[in-house]
């Protein structure tokens, strides 16, 4: 299976992760032309009242509901998610539409007490400008929805550079959004998609006409985007990798914990940025937890994601299988004990693996790196402070969890000296966040926050105004500047 399906003829070959078969070919787009058209669209869209902008997002949401099955099928075929997870991803897009529609009647500023008589201080949020969105293969639709639907209600056009490994589903979603634009008579340049390789993403990041670049992907890619955007003093919103840990304490409900751990570690074949990669288990329950998890990992059904009962589909390609195998051999060399993890033959050229559980020291070198595959490193800990220190010892800071029935342990984990991640859950795994909260992480995870809460502010610019309704001109901080004196 070719890993760089980009041919000199500017054509991208789209393959299914399920069996490596060719789905279609897609022509590469023109990034600069898309940015020019979107910049023009911004001039009028920013003046459309936000609730009217919300009506467009409302229609996009309705159409996504109608086409939920079709869109989920496209996700399954492109990247090999199970039907339930693919449907869940489309639901995440629909949830974002609902959320953005509600926001379109908010986008509220502040009134702040002024120190001067008869004065008022206000903050107003205005549309920011063109938003560039770069998405990864693993959530080919939801991450566009997080960004694009908020950007639209905030008054900004969007240029999307989807992963070249998931183009057909991106194009299917785009067709749905364009149907809504057409029905409501808006400018088609409000939303555009540019298919291309990493070069197209680099062109988007470097273009000074793009006010905000929202990029999801590896930390390496994020560094390149951040550097290019910072060089032109643009704004970036980065959602990068994670090396997420969960702590299982002696009081945990083990049945609940094992289910939470398994979904977080092997769901989506370990290819979420929120995937659980490190498990820290208290020594007193280690001998109970590890054999149970090992047998769950050995029994969970891996295979063609279209078959019912299959919980783990393929990895995106054979490069991912090689990365996984090399991490497992490094783990062995560093004293780890590997259970499972072997490549499996299934469905033509699909890249299937059994999930791996690796018993290893929490500070082993291999444990510090994110590998986008289902490997769960398990280590024992003695006291909670050490486990929290291990949780925080990696370069990433995206998601984390504690499984406990002890209130004090939970509160310690959530305290300022607890988990340093953007997401810190109690009795819930590291993955599968709802859209209502702000999503993102710190350190090498990029620092961005997307989806719910007040993430919309990233897509707007803030104007602070002092309004003087008095007849006098007092200066702030008591400064006297009297032209009649002296
Ligand atoms: C990602 O893997 O890039 O919390 C996003 C989750 C999903 C989003 C994952 N709602 O696992």
């Amino acid at each position: 299976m070719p890993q760089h399906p980009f041919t000199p003829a500017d054509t991208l070959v789209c393959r299914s992760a399920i069996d490596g078969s060719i789905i279609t070919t897609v022509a590469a787009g023109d990034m600069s032309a898309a940015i020019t058209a979107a910049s023009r669209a911004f001039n009028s869209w920013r003046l459309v009242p936000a609730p009217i902008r919300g009506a467009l997002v409302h229609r996009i949401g309705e159409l996504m509901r109608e086409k939920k099955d079709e869109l989920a099928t496209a996700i399954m075929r492109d990247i090999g998610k199970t039907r339930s997870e693919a449907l869940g991803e489309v639901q995440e897009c629909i949830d974002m539409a609902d959320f953005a529609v509600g926001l379109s009647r908010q986008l509220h500023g502040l009134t702040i007490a002024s120190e001067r008589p008869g004065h008022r201080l206000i903050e107003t949020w205005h549309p920011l400008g063109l938003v560039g969105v770069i998405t990864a293969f693993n959530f080919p639709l939801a991450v566009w929805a997080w960004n694009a639907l908020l950007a639209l209600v905030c008054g900004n056009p969007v240029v999307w550079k989807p992963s070249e490994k998931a183009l057909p589903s991106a194009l299917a979603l785009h067709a749905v959004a364009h149907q809504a634009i057409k029905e409501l008579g808006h400018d088609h340049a409000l939303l555009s998609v540019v298919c291309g390789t990493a070069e197209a993403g680099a062109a988007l990041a470097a273009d000074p006409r793009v006010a905000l670049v929202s990029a999801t992907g590896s930390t390496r890619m994020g560094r390149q985007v951040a550097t290019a955007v910072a060089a032109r003093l643009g704004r970036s919103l980065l959602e990068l990798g994670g090396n997420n840990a969960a702590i299982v304490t002696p009081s945990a409900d083990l049945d609940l914990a094992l289910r939470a751990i398994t979904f977080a570690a092997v769901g989506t074949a370990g290819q979420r940025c929120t995937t659980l990669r490190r498990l820290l288990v208290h020594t007193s329950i280690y001998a109970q937890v590890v054999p149970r998890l090992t047998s769950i990992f050995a029994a969970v059904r891996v295979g063609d994601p279209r078959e019912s009962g299959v919980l783990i589909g393929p990895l995106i390609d054979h490069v991912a299988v090689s990365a996984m195998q090399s991490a497992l051999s490094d783990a062995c060399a560093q004293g780890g004990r590997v259970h499972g993890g072997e490549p499996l033959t299934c469905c033509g050229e699909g890249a299937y693996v059994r999930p791996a559980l690796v018993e290893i020291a929490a500070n082993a070198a291999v444990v510090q790196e994110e590998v986008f595959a289902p490997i769960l490193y398990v280590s024992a800990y003695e006291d909670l402070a050490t486990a929290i220190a291990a949780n925080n010892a990696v370069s990433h800071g995206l998601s984390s969890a504690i499984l406990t029935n002890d209130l004090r342990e939970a509160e310690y984990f959530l305290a300022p000296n607890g988990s340093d991640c953007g997401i810190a859950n109690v009795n819930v795994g590291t993955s599968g966040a709802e859209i209502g909260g702000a999503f993102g992480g710190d350190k090498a995870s990029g620092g961005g926050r997307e989806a719910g809460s007040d993430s919309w502010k990233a897509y707007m610019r803030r104007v602070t105004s002092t309004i003087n309704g008095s007849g006098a001109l007092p200066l702030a901080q008591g400064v006297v500047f009297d032209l009649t004196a002296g």
Side-chain angles (χ1 to χ4, degrees):
M1 180 167 166
Q3 300 309 327
H4 295 290
F6 189 58
T7 70
D10 281 358
T11 303
L12 298 135
V13 179
C14 307
R15 290 174 185 272
S16 170
I18 295 177
D19 55 8
S21 63
I22 292 177
I23 302 170
T24 186
T25 55
V26 171
D30 182 338
M31 183 57 80
S32 183
I35 293 174
T36 303
S39 306
R40 193 197 62 233
F42 176 59
N43 292 332
S44 41
W45 188 242
R46 63 182 161 177
L47 295 174
V48 173
I52 310 289
R53 302 195 296 245
L56 170 62
V57 173
H58 183 254
R59 185 63 190 138
I60 295 173
E62 278 180 340
L63 291 170
M64 291 192 302
R65 274 190 173 86
E66 272 172 36
K67 312 245 160 137
K68 188 171 177 182
D69 244 49
E70 202 177 292
L71 292 170
T73 302
I75 296 174
M76 281 178 81
R77 195 179 45 211
D78 281 358
I79 62 159
K81 276 192 188 182
T82 62
R83 174 159 292 279
S84 178
E85 288 200 39
L87 285 167
E89 176 163 1
V90 183
Q91 187 58 47
E92 192 160 344
C93 301
I94 296 167
D95 295 343
M96 267 318 291
D98 289 350
F99 178 77
V101 172
L103 263 184
S104 73
R105 292 203 176 257
Q106 297 265 315
L107 305 178
H108 45 71
L110 279 179
T111 303
I112 298 153
S114 167
E115 67 189 50
R116 287 171 279 184
H119 284 56
R120 211 152 60 83
L121 262 179
I122 61 165
E123 278 184 2
T124 310
W125 292 93
H126 285 314
L128 179 69
L130 173 49
V131 174
V133 178
I134 298 171
T135 56
F137 77 85
N138 63 333
F139 273 82
L141 305 194
V143 176
W144 174 85
W146 292 353
N147 288 281
L149 302 180
L150 287 187
L152 275 182
V153 297
C154 290
N156 310 307
V158 176
V159 174
W160 182 18
K161 196 296 199 183
S163 164
E164 66 210 75
K165 295 173 183 169
L167 292 177
S169 52
L171 293 170
L173 178 63
H174 218 254
V176 166
H178 268 257
Q179 186 182 329
I181 288 181
K182 203 170 156 203
E183 281 176 18
L184 298 181
H186 293 302
D187 187 342
H188 69 93
L190 284 177
L191 291 175
S192 49
V193 61
V194 178
C195 299
T197 56
E199 280 165 35
L204 182 68
D207 198 308
R209 295 172 293 173
V210 183
L212 170 70
V213 179
S214 175
T216 301
S218 66
T219 297
R220 192 178 57 85
M221 177 281 298
R223 267 200 193 97
Q224 288 166 359
V225 168
T227 308
V229 176
R232 59 178 178 81
L233 298 179
R235 216 188 261 189
S236 53
L237 206 179
L238 302 173
E239 203 267 279
L240 310 175
N243 190 356
N244 315 301
I247 299 171
V248 192
T249 79
S251 70
D253 173 337
L254 285 191
D255 290 336
L256 179 149
L258 291 173
R259 288 180 53 213
I261 292 163
T262 307
F263 173 66
V266 310
T268 329
Q271 301 173 110
R272 293 191 187 213
C273 56
T274 50
T275 291
L276 176 61
R277 308 205 177 277
R278 302 179 294 136
L279 188 67
L280 303 159
V281 184
H282 192 263
T283 38
S284 65
I285 51 169
Y286 189 88
Q288 272 173 279
V289 170
V290 174
R292 283 180 72 184
L293 258 185
T294 311
S295 44
I296 294 171
F297 275 37
V300 64
R301 258 186 82 190
V302 183
D304 184 333
R306 295 165 297 195
E307 279 175 27
S308 71
V310 166
L311 294 179
I312 305 180
L315 292 183
I316 190 65
D317 55 27
H318 287 278
V319 175
V321 179
S322 307
M324 176 177 178
Q325 298 310 310
S326 103
L328 293 179
S329 60
D330 289 352
C332 278
Q334 292 167 25
R337 213 171 134 217
V338 177
H339 308 265
E342 60 280 3
L344 302 173
T345 311
C346 164
C347 311
E349 290 180 42
Y352 293 80
V353 290
R354 169 132 315 273
L357 186 151
V358 181
E359 296 181 75
I360 192 163
N363 63 359
V366 70
V367 180
Q368 316 312 309
E369 304 299 326
E370 177 194 38
V371 175
F372 229 53
I375 304 175
L376 181 64
Y377 297 113
V378 186
S379 324
Y381 77 87
E382 297 275 355
D383 63 281
L384 189 53
T386 318
I388 290 176
N391 178 79
N392 297 347
V394 296
S395 62
H396 290 98
L398 180 57
S399 189
S400 59
I402 190 166
L403 295 141
T404 182
N405 277 339
D406 183 322
L407 178 74
R408 290 183 190 169
E409 287 175 341
E411 289 293 336
Y412 178 12
F413 185 70
L414 300 178
N417 60 342
S419 166
D420 66 359
C421 296
I423 298 171
N425 293 335
V426 178
N427 290 334
V428 169
T430 51
S431 66
E434 303 172 19
I435 61 97
F439 181 95
D442 296 316
K443 301 176 5 193
S445 298
R449 292 296 183 277
E450 292 172 297
S453 186
D454 64 352
S455 306
W456 59 271
K457 291 178 177 169
Y459 305 84
M460 303 202 85
R461 63 185 177 87
R462 183 194 326 232
V463 178
T464 304
S465 310
T466 307
I467 304 166
N468 179 3
S470 77
L473 192 70
L475 300 180
Q477 295 91 37
V479 171
V480 174
F481 195 81
D482 187 353
L483 290 173
T484 62

PDB file of all heavy atoms in Angstrom, residues 450-474:
ATOM      1  N   GLU A 450     -10.699  23.680  22.064  1.00  0.00           N
ATOM      2  CA  GLU A 450     -11.679  23.685  20.981  1.00  0.00           C
ATOM      3  C   GLU A 450     -13.017  23.178  21.490  1.00  0.00           C
ATOM      4  O   GLU A 450     -13.135  22.722  22.625  1.00  0.00           O
ATOM      5  CB  GLU A 450     -11.186  22.780  19.839  1.00  0.00           C
ATOM      6  CG  GLU A 450      -9.969  23.341  19.144  1.00  0.00           C
ATOM      7  CD  GLU A 450      -9.360  22.362  18.152  1.00  0.00           C
ATOM      8  OE1 GLU A 450      -8.907  21.305  18.587  1.00  0.00           O
ATOM      9  OE2 GLU A 450      -9.352  22.648  16.959  1.00  0.00           O
ATOM     10  N   ALA A 451     -14.017  23.241  20.624  1.00  0.00           N
ATOM     11  CA  ALA A 451     -15.374  22.738  20.893  1.00  0.00           C
ATOM     12  C   ALA A 451     -16.108  23.642  21.886  1.00  0.00           C
ATOM     13  O   ALA A 451     -16.303  24.827  21.624  1.00  0.00           O
ATOM     14  CB  ALA A 451     -15.368  21.271  21.298  1.00  0.00           C
ATOM     15  N   GLY A 452     -16.483  23.108  23.082  1.00  0.00           N
ATOM     16  CA  GLY A 452     -17.432  23.806  23.943  1.00  0.00           C
ATOM     17  C   GLY A 452     -16.858  24.904  24.818  1.00  0.00           C
ATOM     18  O   GLY A 452     -15.815  25.480  24.532  1.00  0.00           O
ATOM     19  N   SER A 453     -17.627  25.189  25.887  1.00  0.00           N
ATOM     20  CA  SER A 453     -17.278  26.251  26.841  1.00  0.00           C
ATOM     21  C   SER A 453     -17.051  27.570  26.087  1.00  0.00           C
ATOM     22  O   SER A 453     -17.818  27.907  25.202  1.00  0.00           O
ATOM     23  CB  SER A 453     -16.066  25.821  27.671  1.00  0.00           C
ATOM     24  OG  SER A 453     -15.799  26.761  28.685  1.00  0.00           O
ATOM     25  N   ASP A 454     -15.978  28.295  26.429  1.00  0.00           N
ATOM     26  CA  ASP A 454     -15.753  29.584  25.765  1.00  0.00           C
ATOM     27  C   ASP A 454     -14.706  29.500  24.657  1.00  0.00           C
ATOM     28  O   ASP A 454     -14.078  30.500  24.305  1.00  0.00           O
ATOM     29  CB  ASP A 454     -15.357  30.652  26.798  1.00  0.00           C
ATOM     30  CG  ASP A 454     -14.032  30.328  27.470  1.00  0.00           C
ATOM     31  OD1 ASP A 454     -13.507  29.208  27.251  1.00  0.00           O
ATOM     32  OD2 ASP A 454     -13.516  31.180  28.220  1.00  0.00           O
ATOM     33  N   SER A 455     -14.560  28.290  24.056  1.00  0.00           N
ATOM     34  CA  SER A 455     -13.569  28.125  22.976  1.00  0.00           C
ATOM     35  C   SER A 455     -13.858  29.066  21.811  1.00  0.00           C
ATOM     36  O   SER A 455     -12.961  29.380  21.033  1.00  0.00           O
ATOM     37  CB  SER A 455     -13.566  26.689  22.446  1.00  0.00           C
ATOM     38  OG  SER A 455     -13.383  25.790  23.492  1.00  0.00           O
ATOM     39  N   TRP A 456     -15.118  29.481  21.660  1.00  0.00           N
ATOM     40  CA  TRP A 456     -15.476  30.369  20.542  1.00  0.00           C
ATOM     41  C   TRP A 456     -14.637  31.634  20.523  1.00  0.00           C
ATOM     42  O   TRP A 456     -14.431  32.235  19.467  1.00  0.00           O
ATOM     43  CB  TRP A 456     -16.974  30.719  20.591  1.00  0.00           C
ATOM     44  CG  TRP A 456     -17.441  31.408  21.847  1.00  0.00           C
ATOM     45  CD1 TRP A 456     -17.886  30.824  22.993  1.00  0.00           C
ATOM     46  CD2 TRP A 456     -17.503  32.834  22.086  1.00  0.00           C
ATOM     47  NE1 TRP A 456     -18.229  31.785  23.934  1.00  0.00           N
ATOM     48  CE2 TRP A 456     -18.011  33.014  23.400  1.00  0.00           C
ATOM     49  CE3 TRP A 456     -17.192  33.966  21.323  1.00  0.00           C
ATOM     50  CZ2 TRP A 456     -18.198  34.282  23.956  1.00  0.00           C
ATOM     51  CZ3 TRP A 456     -17.382  35.228  21.886  1.00  0.00           C
ATOM     52  CH2 TRP A 456     -17.883  35.369  23.193  1.00  0.00           C
ATOM     53  N   LYS A 457     -14.123  32.028  21.675  1.00  0.00           N
ATOM     54  CA  LYS A 457     -13.382  33.296  21.727  1.00  0.00           C
ATOM     55  C   LYS A 457     -12.126  33.267  20.858  1.00  0.00           C
ATOM     56  O   LYS A 457     -11.633  34.316  20.441  1.00  0.00           O
ATOM     57  CB  LYS A 457     -13.024  33.643  23.176  1.00  0.00           C
ATOM     58  CG  LYS A 457     -14.273  34.007  23.981  1.00  0.00           C
ATOM     59  CD  LYS A 457     -13.971  34.319  25.425  1.00  0.00           C
ATOM     60  CE  LYS A 457     -15.258  34.754  26.125  1.00  0.00           C
ATOM     61  NZ  LYS A 457     -15.089  34.829  27.583  1.00  0.00           N
ATOM     62  N   ALA A 458     -11.620  32.053  20.592  1.00  0.00           N
ATOM     63  CA  ALA A 458     -10.430  31.939  19.741  1.00  0.00           C
ATOM     64  C   ALA A 458     -10.723  32.374  18.307  1.00  0.00           C
ATOM     65  O   ALA A 458      -9.808  32.681  17.546  1.00  0.00           O
ATOM     66  CB  ALA A 458      -9.912  30.505  19.740  1.00  0.00           C
ATOM     67  N   TYR A 459     -12.009  32.376  17.933  1.00  0.00           N
ATOM     68  CA  TYR A 459     -12.393  32.663  16.545  1.00  0.00           C
ATOM     69  C   TYR A 459     -12.867  34.107  16.388  1.00  0.00           C
ATOM     70  O   TYR A 459     -13.458  34.452  15.365  1.00  0.00           O
ATOM     71  CB  TYR A 459     -13.501  31.692  16.092  1.00  0.00           C
ATOM     72  CG  TYR A 459     -13.118  30.245  16.277  1.00  0.00           C
ATOM     73  CD1 TYR A 459     -13.288  29.615  17.511  1.00  0.00           C
ATOM     74  CD2 TYR A 459     -12.530  29.517  15.242  1.00  0.00           C
ATOM     75  CE1 TYR A 459     -12.913  28.295  17.711  1.00  0.00           C
ATOM     76  CE2 TYR A 459     -12.146  28.206  15.430  1.00  0.00           C
ATOM     77  CZ  TYR A 459     -12.339  27.601  16.670  1.00  0.00           C
ATOM     78  OH  TYR A 459     -11.952  26.297  16.851  1.00  0.00           O
ATOM     79  N   MET A 460     -12.656  34.918  17.438  1.00  0.00           N
ATOM     80  CA  MET A 460     -13.120  36.302  17.371  1.00  0.00           C
ATOM     81  C   MET A 460     -12.016  37.217  17.876  1.00  0.00           C
ATOM     82  O   MET A 460     -11.081  36.780  18.552  1.00  0.00           O
ATOM     83  CB  MET A 460     -14.391  36.491  18.224  1.00  0.00           C
ATOM     84  CG  MET A 460     -15.517  35.551  17.816  1.00  0.00           C
ATOM     85  SD  MET A 460     -17.168  36.098  18.301  1.00  0.00           S
ATOM     86  CE  MET A 460     -17.584  37.194  16.940  1.00  0.00           C
ATOM     87  N   ARG A 461     -12.144  38.494  17.541  1.00  0.00           N
ATOM     88  CA  ARG A 461     -11.200  39.470  18.098  1.00  0.00           C
ATOM     89  C   ARG A 461     -11.961  40.357  19.072  1.00  0.00           C
ATOM     90  O   ARG A 461     -13.125  40.673  18.871  1.00  0.00           O
ATOM     91  CB  ARG A 461     -10.501  40.277  17.011  1.00  0.00           C
ATOM     92  CG  ARG A 461     -11.415  41.124  16.185  1.00  0.00           C
ATOM     93  CD  ARG A 461     -10.673  41.812  15.037  1.00  0.00           C
ATOM     94  NE  ARG A 461     -11.625  42.564  14.236  1.00  0.00           N
ATOM     95  CZ  ARG A 461     -11.984  43.821  14.494  1.00  0.00           C
ATOM     96  NH1 ARG A 461     -11.449  44.479  15.505  1.00  0.00           N
ATOM     97  NH2 ARG A 461     -12.880  44.429  13.733  1.00  0.00           N
ATOM     98  N   ARG A 462     -11.272  40.725  20.158  1.00  0.00           N
ATOM     99  CA  ARG A 462     -11.903  41.461  21.240  1.00  0.00           C
ATOM    100  C   ARG A 462     -11.582  42.951  21.107  1.00  0.00           C
ATOM    101  O   ARG A 462     -10.430  43.322  20.920  1.00  0.00           O
ATOM    102  CB  ARG A 462     -11.342  40.933  22.574  1.00  0.00           C
ATOM    103  CG  ARG A 462     -11.953  41.550  23.783  1.00  0.00           C
ATOM    104  CD  ARG A 462     -11.160  41.278  25.060  1.00  0.00           C
ATOM    105  NE  ARG A 462     -10.497  39.999  25.136  1.00  0.00           N
ATOM    106  CZ  ARG A 462     -10.617  39.139  26.153  1.00  0.00           C
ATOM    107  NH1 ARG A 462     -11.397  39.414  27.166  1.00  0.00           N
ATOM    108  NH2 ARG A 462      -9.941  38.018  26.154  1.00  0.00           N
ATOM    109  N   VAL A 463     -12.621  43.768  21.201  1.00  0.00           N
ATOM    110  CA  VAL A 463     -12.421  45.213  21.148  1.00  0.00           C
ATOM    111  C   VAL A 463     -12.836  45.786  22.498  1.00  0.00           C
ATOM    112  O   VAL A 463     -13.943  45.531  22.966  1.00  0.00           O
ATOM    113  CB  VAL A 463     -13.285  45.842  20.042  1.00  0.00           C
ATOM    114  CG1 VAL A 463     -13.114  47.355  20.021  1.00  0.00           C
ATOM    115  CG2 VAL A 463     -12.924  45.250  18.683  1.00  0.00           C
ATOM    116  N   THR A 464     -11.957  46.526  23.138  1.00  0.00           N
ATOM    117  CA  THR A 464     -12.282  47.183  24.408  1.00  0.00           C
ATOM    118  C   THR A 464     -12.571  48.648  24.117  1.00  0.00           C
ATOM    119  O   THR A 464     -11.770  49.325  23.465  1.00  0.00           O
ATOM    120  CB  THR A 464     -11.096  47.061  25.385  1.00  0.00           C
ATOM    121  OG1 THR A 464     -10.786  45.673  25.533  1.00  0.00           O
ATOM    122  CG2 THR A 464     -11.428  47.656  26.741  1.00  0.00           C
ATOM    123  N   SER A 465     -13.723  49.128  24.567  1.00  0.00           N
ATOM    124  CA  SER A 465     -14.105  50.519  24.286  1.00  0.00           C
ATOM    125  C   SER A 465     -14.393  51.247  25.590  1.00  0.00           C
ATOM    126  O   SER A 465     -15.110  50.726  26.446  1.00  0.00           O
ATOM    127  CB  SER A 465     -15.365  50.562  23.420  1.00  0.00           C
ATOM    128  OG  SER A 465     -15.220  49.719  22.297  1.00  0.00           O
ATOM    129  N   THR A 466     -13.874  52.457  25.694  1.00  0.00           N
ATOM    130  CA  THR A 466     -14.248  53.350  26.795  1.00  0.00           C
ATOM    131  C   THR A 466     -15.172  54.395  26.182  1.00  0.00           C
ATOM    132  O   THR A 466     -14.816  55.035  25.183  1.00  0.00           O
ATOM    133  CB  THR A 466     -13.008  54.035  27.387  1.00  0.00           C
ATOM    134  OG1 THR A 466     -12.053  53.025  27.735  1.00  0.00           O
ATOM    135  CG2 THR A 466     -13.362  54.847  28.618  1.00  0.00           C
ATOM    136  N   ILE A 467     -16.364  54.536  26.767  1.00  0.00           N
ATOM    137  CA  ILE A 467     -17.354  55.457  26.207  1.00  0.00           C
ATOM    138  C   ILE A 467     -17.630  56.538  27.253  1.00  0.00           C
ATOM    139  O   ILE A 467     -18.022  56.234  28.384  1.00  0.00           O
ATOM    140  CB  ILE A 467     -18.648  54.701  25.852  1.00  0.00           C
ATOM    141  CG1 ILE A 467     -18.321  53.553  24.893  1.00  0.00           C
ATOM    142  CG2 ILE A 467     -19.674  55.642  25.238  1.00  0.00           C
ATOM    143  CD1 ILE A 467     -19.435  52.551  24.750  1.00  0.00           C
ATOM    144  N   ASN A 468     -17.408  57.766  26.849  1.00  0.00           N
ATOM    145  CA  ASN A 468     -17.555  58.903  27.769  1.00  0.00           C
ATOM    146  C   ASN A 468     -18.885  59.601  27.490  1.00  0.00           C
ATOM    147  O   ASN A 468     -19.047  60.262  26.475  1.00  0.00           O
ATOM    148  CB  ASN A 468     -16.374  59.855  27.548  1.00  0.00           C
ATOM    149  CG  ASN A 468     -16.446  61.076  28.447  1.00  0.00           C
ATOM    150  OD1 ASN A 468     -17.352  61.188  29.287  1.00  0.00           O
ATOM    151  ND2 ASN A 468     -15.499  61.990  28.271  1.00  0.00           N
ATOM    152  N   GLY A 469     -19.846  59.456  28.405  1.00  0.00           N
ATOM    153  CA  GLY A 469     -21.141  60.117  28.252  1.00  0.00           C
ATOM    154  C   GLY A 469     -21.240  61.374  29.111  1.00  0.00           C
ATOM    155  O   GLY A 469     -22.297  62.003  29.174  1.00  0.00           O
ATOM    156  N   SER A 470     -20.143  61.761  29.760  1.00  0.00           N
ATOM    157  CA  SER A 470     -20.157  62.961  30.618  1.00  0.00           C
ATOM    158  C   SER A 470     -19.660  64.136  29.768  1.00  0.00           C
ATOM    159  O   SER A 470     -19.091  63.949  28.698  1.00  0.00           O
ATOM    160  CB  SER A 470     -19.235  62.764  31.825  1.00  0.00           C
ATOM    161  OG  SER A 470     -17.888  62.928  31.433  1.00  0.00           O
ATOM    162  N   GLY A 471     -19.814  65.332  30.277  1.00  0.00           N
ATOM    163  CA  GLY A 471     -19.310  66.479  29.518  1.00  0.00           C
ATOM    164  C   GLY A 471     -17.854  66.784  29.843  1.00  0.00           C
ATOM    165  O   GLY A 471     -17.241  67.656  29.234  1.00  0.00           O
ATOM    166  N   ALA A 472     -17.293  66.040  30.769  1.00  0.00           N
ATOM    167  CA  ALA A 472     -15.915  66.329  31.200  1.00  0.00           C
ATOM    168  C   ALA A 472     -14.943  65.316  30.610  1.00  0.00           C
ATOM    169  O   ALA A 472     -15.362  64.344  29.987  1.00  0.00           O
ATOM    170  CB  ALA A 472     -15.872  66.273  32.722  1.00  0.00           C
ATOM    171  N   LEU A 473     -13.640  65.597  30.784  1.00  0.00           N
ATOM    172  CA  LEU A 473     -12.645  64.643  30.261  1.00  0.00           C
ATOM    173  C   LEU A 473     -11.631  64.274  31.336  1.00  0.00           C
ATOM    174  O   LEU A 473     -10.446  64.628  31.258  1.00  0.00           O
ATOM    175  CB  LEU A 473     -11.934  65.240  29.042  1.00  0.00           C
ATOM    176  CG  LEU A 473     -11.089  64.228  28.261  1.00  0.00           C
ATOM    177  CD1 LEU A 473     -11.948  63.222  27.525  1.00  0.00           C
ATOM    178  CD2 LEU A 473     -10.147  64.925  27.298  1.00  0.00           C
ATOM    179  N   PRO A 474     -12.093  63.558  32.370  1.00  0.00           N
ATOM    180  CA  PRO A 474     -11.142  63.125  33.400  1.00  0.00           C
ATOM    181  C   PRO A 474     -10.215  62.054  32.823  1.00  0.00           C
ATOM    182  O   PRO A 474     -10.645  61.252  31.999  1.00  0.00           O
ATOM    183  CB  PRO A 474     -12.062  62.540  34.481  1.00  0.00           C
ATOM    184  CG  PRO A 474     -13.307  62.129  33.765  1.00  0.00           C
ATOM    185  CD  PRO A 474     -13.457  63.051  32.593  1.00  0.00           C
TER     186      PRO A 474
END
